Amino acid sequence: MVARYERIADELREEILSGAHPVGTQLPSEAELAARFGAARGTVRQAVAVLAAEGLVGSRQGARRIVLGNAPSQSFAELHSFAQWARANGYRYEGRVIEQRRRPATAAEAARLGSGEVLDVLRVRSLEGEPVLVERTAYAAWVAGEVERLPPDCESVTQALYDAIGLVFAYGEHLIDAVPAGAQDARLLGVRRGSPLLRQRRVTTTHEGRPVESSDDRYRAGSVTFSIRNSIGANPLVRQAGDLRFRP
Amino acid sequence: MVARYERIADELREEILSGAHPVGTQLPSEAELAARFGAARGTVRQAVAVLAAEGLVGSRQGARRIVLGNAPSQSFAELHSFAQWARANGYRYEGRVIEQRRRPATAAEAARLGSGEVLDVLRVRSLEGEPVLVERTAYAAWVAGEVERLPPDCESVTQALYDAIGLVFAYGEHLIDAVPAGAQDARLLGVRRGSPLLRQRRVTTTHEGRPVESSDDRYRAGSVTFSIRNSIGANPLVRQAGDLRFRP
DNA sequence: TAGGTGGACTTGTCCAAACAAGCGAGCACC
DNA sequence: GGTGCTCGCTTGTTTGGACAAGTCCACCTA
């Protein structure tokens, strides 16, 4: 059973993406939409709030809503899971485990994952036959057993863990920066040592706030970009000073 | 006049950041909060929705809300404006215009900015006395005059434009990736050519959806990272395939 | 013509109520 | 001891109404 406001949001989104409401034009008023969909104004507001969160429409008190964009946005699953993202976009992709072992958690990992031992996995993922991503993931002890049971060429760890134990990745914190390729990165990705990589460090937790994994993903420059749409009202992307100290 | 739900959100946020609700614990139920603040449940829901959007709390139907984090998040202004971000975080910062000229817009810029001519500005910004950012911005013609009037060492263009003509940057779209430093980048930032830079390309618009600027910002590796918290419900960060074609 | 003003329209905020849907603890039963 | 089930609690969805606050246009006036 899909909520009413979601169906309304879907229909409006479809209209925007199809060009029925071109960028820069006004959306019908909430009252008009409520009449059209036979719903209360509050329900319509929830629907347009969804579109606003996606960056498709903007709003100001007193003025009609304006269409800001017409590019589809992606779901959390597609951000979290390389495989789900690649599949949703029609890319050919693969994954391969290079190395896998249990080891004691570092102090930082213990704090992030709440786990004294971690399962360390080094994976390489390919898009269209080319290696684009080196993924170094530390899994918390409570999922380590399930992860070890997966085949080395498992396409989607996220999917496999959901199928096996109903595990859902629900929240994530991501740090994005650029780093030079180390010797191992360079070898695995087929680039020169020191060449630029886009790094995404993340910690993911379940619905209950239980940490699952901590990962350091490095993308070959040019293979992948991150895209954020935000507005003055609410935005989750923030800038932080780097770890490096500035030269004295 | 601050909205009630915002005051409630502020109070709850304060409690979370101060440790009154440690990470991993449950928040009081909506009914309890409503009683405590003397507000309707709907108002309390708006307040916790704000916290959820900031990634501080999670929620599941049927179960109590859980505290997910205790790190403060930043505002849109701090993402958009280097100066506002630096000031809010207590850093010493500077900005300097290296080059500035009007030129015809490229086809892509014309499409993004809706402007046949643009004002091209090359700026270098420093943090704690060290150059960390090279900013190449194309301003739409309708703000070019105001920008040209600013002093070359203007600290905050965002602030100056607001003071001068009441211009508010309200929406932004950002593309983040990693690139090697070009010759000019290397010279301006004091790094080796080819060393990794974190690139943020963005297009910003006003409340009315009118494009203001299109910019290519390159940060020295290690100086700045971007941080995103997201959840399965709503997330604005998406991954995109890069511009580069994969090798044949 | 330029400028101000009023009022209709639109979005933002808040309330009160009702039901649906999911979670979790305690209980009975095997 | 473990398994399954019921029931109370909590969050999710929806409605309808009311007022506040801001925008925008048409009209009036100097």
Side-chain angles (χ1 to χ4, degrees):
Chain A
M1 179 52 186
V2 182
R4 185 98 107 100
Y5 76 89
E6 284 192 61
R7 288 203 307 271
I8 295 175
D10 289 344
E11 196 162 332
L12 289 175
R13 186 186 303 108
E14 187 54 41
E15 291 179 5
I16 291 172
L17 299 186
S18 72
H21 302 294
V23 173
T25 61
Q26 295 182 334
L27 227 50
S29 75
E30 293 175 0
E32 285 168 15
L33 291 174
R36 167 178 157 194
F37 291 106
R41 189 179 150 223
T43 307
V44 170
R45 280 182 66 79
Q46 283 190 76
V48 292
V50 171
L51 302 182
E54 292 173 4
L56 289 178
V57 305
S59 67
R60 296 142 71 202
Q61 183 173 152
R64 284 211 178 174
R65 274 172 226 276
I66 289 182
V67 179
L68 293 171
N70 55 7
S73 79
Q74 292 156 281
S75 71
F76 176 83
E78 289 173 30
L79 168 64
H80 176 76
S81 163
F82 182 81
Q84 292 188 26
W85 165 73
R87 190 167 49 228
N89 289 275
Y91 296 114
R92 203 156 45 80
Y93 63 96
E94 296 161 89
R96 192 161 45 91
V97 170
I98 304 293
E99 215 181 295
Q100 174 171 319
R101 65 179 222 281
R102 290 189 186 239
R103 60 169 174 78
T106 66
E109 285 169 343
R112 280 200 298 268
L113 297 178
S115 173
E117 195 192 43
V118 300
L119 176 66
D120 213 12
V121 180
L122 173 62
R123 277 195 205 89
V124 172
R125 319 203 95 142
S126 305
L127 214 50
E128 302 292 326
E130 284 295 321
V132 297
L133 167 60
V134 174
E135 193 179 279
R136 294 181 178 87
T137 309
Y139 292 94
W142 66 278
V143 286
E146 278 307 325
V147 175
E148 282 173 330
R149 217 161 293 151
L150 301 176
D153 63 343
C154 175
E155 285 187 345
S156 174
V157 176
T158 305
Q159 186 65 45
L161 287 177
Y162 175 74
D163 293 341
I165 53 176
L167 176 61
V168 175
F169 294 84
Y171 306 106
E173 175 152 15
H174 309 256
L175 291 173
I176 297 175
D177 60 0
V179 294
Q184 191 181 40
D185 300 329
R187 194 170 58 248
L188 294 172
L189 292 177
V191 298
R192 281 210 333 283
R193 202 162 57 82
S195 73
L197 300 180
L198 182 64
R199 176 169 71 165
Q200 173 193 14
R201 284 172 293 177
R202 62 166 197 269
V203 177
T204 321
T205 71
T206 64
H207 268 307
E208 298 90 2
R210 192 175 188 192
V212 181
E213 51 155 31
S214 156
S215 189
D216 179 311
D217 298 356
R218 301 178 182 198
Y219 294 88
R220 220 180 67 196
S223 64
V224 160
T225 66
F226 290 102
S227 163
I228 296 110
R229 258 178 297 186
N230 65 1
S231 74
I232 201 167
N235 80 301
L237 171 68
V238 299
R239 186 163 22 189
Q240 299 187 340
D243 299 331
L244 295 189
R245 291 292 146 254
F246 301 103
R247 286 173 295 199
Chain B
M1 179 54 186
V2 181
R4 186 98 107 100
Y5 76 89
E6 283 193 62
R7 288 203 306 271
I8 296 175
D10 289 342
E11 196 162 331
L12 290 175
R13 187 187 303 108
E14 187 54 41
E15 291 178 6
I16 291 171
L17 299 185
S18 74
H21 302 294
V23 173
T25 61
Q26 294 181 333
L27 226 50
S29 75
E30 293 175 1
E32 284 167 15
L33 292 174
R36 167 179 156 194
F37 291 106
R41 192 180 148 222
T43 307
V44 170
R45 279 181 68 78
Q46 274 182 285
V48 293
V50 171
L51 302 182
E54 292 173 5
L56 289 178
V57 305
S59 67
R60 277 184 305 159
Q61 182 173 147
R64 285 213 176 172
R65 274 173 226 275
I66 289 181
V67 178
L68 292 171
N70 54 9
S73 80
Q74 292 156 279
S75 72
F76 175 84
E78 289 173 29
L79 168 63
H80 175 77
S81 161
F82 182 80
Q84 292 187 28
W85 165 73
R87 191 168 47 227
N89 288 275
Y91 295 114
R92 202 154 47 77
Y93 63 96
E94 294 161 273
R96 192 160 45 92
V97 171
I98 304 294
E99 214 181 296
Q100 174 171 318
R101 66 178 220 282
R102 290 187 185 239
R103 61 168 173 77
T106 66
E109 284 168 344
R112 279 200 298 268
L113 297 179
S115 172
E117 195 193 42
V118 300
L119 175 66
D120 214 12
V121 180
L122 172 62
R123 277 195 204 88
V124 173
R125 319 202 92 142
S126 305
L127 213 51
E128 303 292 325
E130 284 296 321
V132 297
L133 167 59
V134 174
E135 194 179 278
R136 294 183 180 86
T137 310
Y139 292 94
W142 66 279
V143 285
E146 280 306 326
V147 175
E148 282 173 330
R149 216 161 294 150
L150 301 176
D153 63 342
C154 176
E155 286 188 342
S156 174
V157 176
T158 306
Q159 185 66 44
L161 288 178
Y162 176 74
D163 293 341
I165 53 174
L167 175 62
V168 175
F169 294 84
Y171 307 107
E173 174 151 16
H174 309 256
L175 291 173
I176 296 174
D177 61 359
V179 294
Q184 190 180 41
D185 300 329
R187 195 171 57 248
L188 294 172
L189 292 176
V191 299
R192 280 211 333 284
R193 203 161 57 82
S195 74
L197 300 180
L198 181 65
R199 176 169 70 166
Q200 173 194 13
R201 284 171 295 177
R202 62 166 198 269
V203 177
T204 321
T205 72
T206 65
H207 269 307
E208 297 89 5
R210 190 175 190 190
V212 181
E213 51 155 31
S214 157
S215 189
D216 180 311
D217 298 355
R218 301 180 180 195
Y219 294 89
R220 222 180 61 195
S223 64
V224 160
T225 65
F226 290 102
S227 162
I228 297 108
R229 261 179 294 188
N230 65 0
S231 73
I232 202 168
N235 80 299
L237 173 68
V238 301
R239 188 161 22 187
Q240 298 189 338
D243 298 330
L244 296 190
R245 291 291 148 256
F246 302 103
R247 286 172 293 201

